[in-house]
Amino acid sequence: KQEVTQIPAALSVPEGENLVLNCSFTDSAIYNLQWFRQDPGKGLTSLLLIQSSQREQTSGRLNASLDKSSGRSTLYIAASQPGDSATYLCAVPNYGQNFVFGPGTRLSVLP
Amino acid sequence: GAGVSQSPSNKVTEKGKDVELRCDPISGHTALYWYRQSLGQGLEFLIYFQGNSAPDKSGLPSDRFSAERTGGSVSTLTIQRTQQEDSAVYLCASSFGVGGTYEQYFGPGTRLTVT
């Protein structure tokens, strides 16, 4: 069974800092990896989807990389802003059917 | 177009009562997923549909939980004889197809509180 972990569990940074969130998974035979953000009391918003054939994907200040062989993905957030405060989750397919989510990284960006 | 919608947004029920949670996926999405998120916990997979069929029901916590999907569109998650441990946010997601190649889109969730 696919297992997903995320480090750190929580992170607090001053506005303007660049930061890296980490996601690890145990089964490298994945089609893709998806990063989400979740605001308190809300559903999940998709940020980036990296296909297995890609090594990275960018959207604005966000850059996600994928290293299947090592079972790792990182989400890089440049020039962080208070509006980036949320919980960030990564998800990978579980043998191609449902998805397994990591426990999330709770990010606070202080003004 | 419209995103995934869920209703109700909040539901408070007494222990022992039955509840129905509804999910309207994005039009044209054949795959639909139900997840549960308990307070301070990660997302727990419950069930997924490919069209109206549910090939994998292994995530349902007990036989009090059931789900159906009609017309390849709306899905209903039913919890019978609710227990306090059923209190959680129930999230629905849809995607264009089943499997790991497709992006999932989530609804806002239904917060269920069992008193």
Side-chain angles (χ1 to χ4, degrees):
Chain A
K1 178 185 171 182
Q2 180 75 268
E3 294 184 1
V4 182
T5 56
Q6 291 186 245
I7 294 173
L11 183 63
S12 183
V13 299
E15 181 177 7
E17 278 204 5
N18 302 323
L19 51 97
V20 175
L21 309 182
N22 298 288
C23 171
S24 297
F25 46 94
T26 54
D27 186 344
S28 61
I30 60 171
Y31 294 112
N32 64 35
L33 182 144
Q34 198 167 354
W35 281 94
F36 296 86
R37 71 173 277 169
Q38 186 175 30
D39 295 282
K42 307 289 187 182
L44 276 68
T45 301
S46 178
L47 297 173
L48 289 164
L49 172 70
I50 313 177
Q51 300 290 355
S52 60
S53 58
Q54 299 174 310
R55 292 192 64 84
E56 63 179 61
Q57 189 72 258
T58 298
S59 176
R61 295 182 293 106
L62 305 180
N63 176 278
S65 66
L66 176 62
D67 184 344
K68 281 181 56 178
S69 61
S70 66
R72 293 179 183 176
S73 176
T74 60
L75 178 66
Y76 177 81
I77 303 177
S80 58
Q81 303 172 357
D84 295 331
S85 299
T87 297
Y88 290 80
L89 300 128
C90 64
V92 295
N94 186 32
Y95 301 112
Q97 297 179 325
N98 62 294
F99 290 81
V100 178
F101 284 77
T105 293
R106 190 171 65 254
L107 172 65
S108 295
V109 180
L110 307 175
Chain B
V4 178
S5 61
Q6 293 184 246
S7 61
S9 56
N10 281 284
K11 177 71 176 179
V12 180
T13 190
E14 293 180 353
K15 177 182 174 181
K17 295 284 182 68
D18 297 351
V19 296
E20 285 189 353
L21 312 180
R22 177 187 169 109
C23 173
D24 279 276
I26 292 173
S27 178
H29 280 191
T30 60
L32 186 148
Y33 302 81
W34 283 99
Y35 296 89
R36 177 169 72 172
Q37 188 174 35
S38 302
L39 186 63
Q41 303 297 313
L43 268 76
E44 174 188 11
F45 167 75
L46 298 178
I47 189 171
Y48 85 91
F49 288 89
Q50 169 62 25
N52 293 333
S53 300
D56 183 3
K57 301 181 182 180
S58 62
L60 294 177
S62 75
D63 58 9
R64 295 186 295 105
F65 287 71
S66 63
E68 65 174 12
R69 189 179 184 194
T70 56
S73 181
V74 173
S75 176
T76 302
L77 177 68
T78 301
I79 309 173
Q80 295 179 309
R81 305 181 301 281
T82 51
Q83 303 295 312
Q84 289 186 331
E85 61 262 28
D86 299 333
S87 296
V89 176
Y90 290 81
L91 292 162
C92 172
S94 71
S95 63
F96 189 72
V98 170
T101 59
Y102 299 101
E103 188 169 359
Q104 290 187 93
Y105 296 86
F106 278 79
T110 293
R111 181 176 299 277
L112 175 65
T113 303
V114 181
T115 61

